[in-house]
Amino acid sequence: MEAAAIGNLIAAQRPGFCLEQVFYRDPDIYARDLERIFLNAWLYAGHASQVPEPGDYFLFEFATESIIVTRDREGALHALVNVCRHRGSRVCLTGKGRARRFTCPYHGWTYGADGTLLAATQMPEDFDKGSYGLKRVSLRLFHGLIFVNLAPDPVPFDTIEAEMSAGLSPYRLDRAKVAHAADYPIAANWKLAVENYCECYHCRPAHPEYSRAHALAAPPAQWQKDLERVKARAAEVGLSTDFVDHAWLDADAFGTERQFWRYPLLHGHQTGSRDGEPVAPLLGELTGYDGGATDIQIGPVLFGLAYCDHVVLYRFTPVAIDRSVCQVSWLVNEDAVEGRDYSVEELTWLWDVTTQADKTIIENNQKGVNSRFFEPGPLSNMERFENRFVRWYLAAVT
């Protein structure tokens, strides 16, 4: 599809309605999504606790791209393109591990943890190893969270840091660790997965476990009075009540989307768990529970829910035009010991059952969108954030 045709489709999008079918099924639009969004925005790759020692690494992958996030012997973090500089083979084939160096399995070119080419046999005498290290992409470490940007000239990360630091600081995520992470493959376009996360119109019929505790599943009037109670208590236990809202809203915020706001939990719940009771030790500098939770967004496809005792991170990435992955990570205090301070089963129960249900919902959504009879419908009052996403998306790929 030519760029002009895509532009006409964008211009014809009906305000207040979900996207036309073509935006979920056309390969040229999918390629445009990758180029305009995923190759230009700050993307969450993982947490520093996943590479605690020199030589530790993990892969961050989406669509056709693969990035090695590694820590060198001096302790510095690097984001290396997982493409051999000889003939393009993947160099690292294992999702995580520890390695002093990376050797391409095709012809044996060997690279250091910082990407430097260390060895390449049988090359001409004038071959310059210094010119053929693994390519790098930009990396930023922010409160223990590792972000990468694949653009040659990335948008500045400074705005995220300036506006989000105060709210995140009490949790001390730089002193947290990933207690568990799970990938949920979804047979659907990445936008359907993100749109589903952006609205809670579906929460009551689809997520009874979530809805009994989280105010976002209820009409605003039902929980607005509880918000002041949570705000007052938040300061007492060391939490920030900062409000940041630059998500799906400002064109000049592309690639640095950010949001932070606290809202009440319902029915006496202290955290997101099976019974509302704590499932891990308090995070960071917190001294108690305020009966609330914080919604977080950093970049276009990382969302988080911060409770007082753990943080749940949701990351959405495309695999193909009709396949995506939702990775969920559960963070706890770095000193917490599994089996003593927390149970992985109890820690992950709520958001595992919720994500499994979302997987089914999203895949059924894709099946319906694929129908020749699909016609975009109007968005509800509880889908304001999704409406913002649609407007943002259309601007991002224009």
Side-chain angles (χ1 to χ4, degrees), residues 187-238:
N189 184 273
W190 72 273
K191 292 188 289 294
L192 290 175
V194 171
E195 287 179 67
N196 179 75
Y197 188 89
C198 285
E199 53 92 352
C200 213
Y201 191 34
H202 72 282
C203 289
R204 281 191 176 274
H207 302 310
E209 303 87 358
Y210 170 88
S211 297
R212 65 176 177 244
H214 293 76
L216 293 187
Q222 184 174 330
W223 56 268
Q224 188 66 39
K225 63 180 181 180
D226 291 332
L227 186 58
E228 295 306 316
R229 169 183 55 80
V230 169
K231 285 183 176 179
R233 178 66 178 150
E236 294 177 16
V237 302

Side-chain angles (χ1 to χ4, degrees), residues 297-354:
Q297 180 181 350
I298 303 178
V301 289
L302 177 74
F303 305 89
L305 193 55
Y307 303 104
C308 294
D309 58 347
H310 69 286
V311 173
V312 184
L313 298 178
Y314 262 71
R315 182 186 71 197
F316 297 95
T317 48
V319 176
I321 189 171
D322 57 357
R323 288 185 292 131
S324 56
V325 171
C326 172
Q327 184 192 78
V328 185
S329 301
W330 288 264
L331 275 59
V332 299
N333 192 297
E334 66 178 357
D335 296 326
V337 177
E338 182 183 352
R340 184 192 72 187
D341 299 315
Y342 67 93
S343 155
V344 168
E345 180 180 0
E346 291 303 313
L347 176 72
T348 63
W349 176 81
L350 175 61
W351 286 98
D352 176 67
V353 70
T354 301

Side-chain angles (χ1 to χ4, degrees), residues 142-157:
F142 177 61
H143 290 264
L145 309 177
I146 301 170
F147 291 87
V148 298
N149 193 307
L150 280 64
D153 185 21
V155 294
F157 193 89

Side-chain angles (χ1 to χ4, degrees), residues 14-330:
R14 190 175 177 183
F17 280 66
C18 58
L19 290 168
E20 295 283 346
Q21 181 188 64
V22 66
F23 288 101
Y24 304 109
R25 299 190 64 194
D26 184 83
D28 292 327
I29 290 180
Y30 173 69
R32 198 179 182 98
D33 289 356
L34 296 180
E35 177 188 351
R36 300 289 179 90
I37 296 174
F38 288 91
L39 297 180
N40 280 287
W42 285 100
L43 305 173
Y44 173 70
H47 190 268
S49 65
Q50 296 172 264
V51 282
E53 301 295 334
D56 288 343
Y57 73 88
F58 64 84
L59 298 184
F60 167 53
E61 299 182 301
F62 67 90
T64 59
E65 306 308 322
S66 179
I67 304 298
I68 308 170
V69 177
T70 184
R71 191 181 293 275
D72 67 22
R73 60 186 179 184
E74 281 75 40
L77 291 171
H78 303 274
L80 311 173
V81 178
N82 191 15
V83 176
C84 184
R85 295 298 306 280
H86 176 221
R87 285 174 55 189
S89 171
R90 286 281 191 262
V91 175
C92 183
L93 307 181
T94 306
K96 62 181 179 179
R98 179 173 295 175
R100 293 174 55 194
R101 57 191 61 190
F102 300 101
T103 299
C104 177
Y106 198 0
H107 298 99
W109 283 32
T110 301
Y111 304 88
D114 62 354
T116 302
L117 179 61
L118 301 177
T121 62
Q122 304 298 317
M123 299 302 292
E125 290 186 5
D126 61 352
F127 175 70
D128 178 16
K129 288 192 298 184
S131 299
Y132 291 93
L134 293 176
K135 292 184 178 180
R136 298 167 173 267
V137 299
S138 297
L139 180 149
R140 193 69 172 255
L141 181 63
F142 177 61
H143 290 264
L145 309 177
I146 301 170
F147 291 87
V148 298
N149 193 307
L150 280 64
D153 185 21
V155 294
F157 193 89
D158 297 354
T159 51
I160 294 176
E161 187 164 9
E163 293 190 23
M164 297 291 286
S165 280
L168 287 176
S169 289
Y171 296 99
R172 293 308 306 262
L173 296 186
D174 58 319
R175 295 183 182 175
K177 66 180 179 182
V178 177
H180 186 72
D183 287 346
Y184 298 83
I186 302 172
N189 184 273
W190 72 273
K191 292 188 289 294
L192 290 175
V194 171
E195 287 179 67
N196 179 75
Y197 188 89
C198 285
E199 53 92 352
C200 213
Y201 191 34
H202 72 282
C203 289
R204 281 191 176 274
H207 302 310
E209 303 87 358
Y210 170 88
S211 297
R212 65 176 177 244
H214 293 76
L216 293 187
Q222 184 174 330
W223 56 268
Q224 188 66 39
K225 63 180 181 180
D226 291 332
L227 186 58
E228 295 306 316
R229 169 183 55 80
V230 169
K231 285 183 176 179
R233 178 66 178 150
E236 294 177 16
V237 302
L239 282 164
S240 170
T241 56
D242 281 10
F243 180 81
V244 177
D245 188 13
H246 292 285
W248 314 142
L249 193 60
D250 301 329
D252 61 355
F254 173 76
T256 62
E257 293 75 17
R258 53 205 183 273
Q259 186 177 63
F260 184 98
W261 66 290
R262 195 147 186 85
Y263 65 87
L265 296 172
L266 303 175
H267 308 301
H269 282 66
Q270 297 301 309
T271 191
S273 64
R274 194 188 302 263
D275 58 4
E277 294 301 312
V279 289
L282 287 166
L283 286 167
E285 301 167 356
L286 304 185
T287 59
Y289 294 83
D290 68 342
T294 298
D295 258 354
I296 298 167
Q297 180 181 350
I298 303 178
V301 289
L302 177 74
F303 305 89
L305 193 55
Y307 303 104
C308 294
D309 58 347
H310 69 286
V311 173
V312 184
L313 298 178
Y314 262 71
R315 182 186 71 197
F316 297 95
T317 48
V319 176
I321 189 171
D322 57 357
R323 288 185 292 131
S324 56
V325 171
C326 172
Q327 184 192 78
V328 185
S329 301
W330 288 264

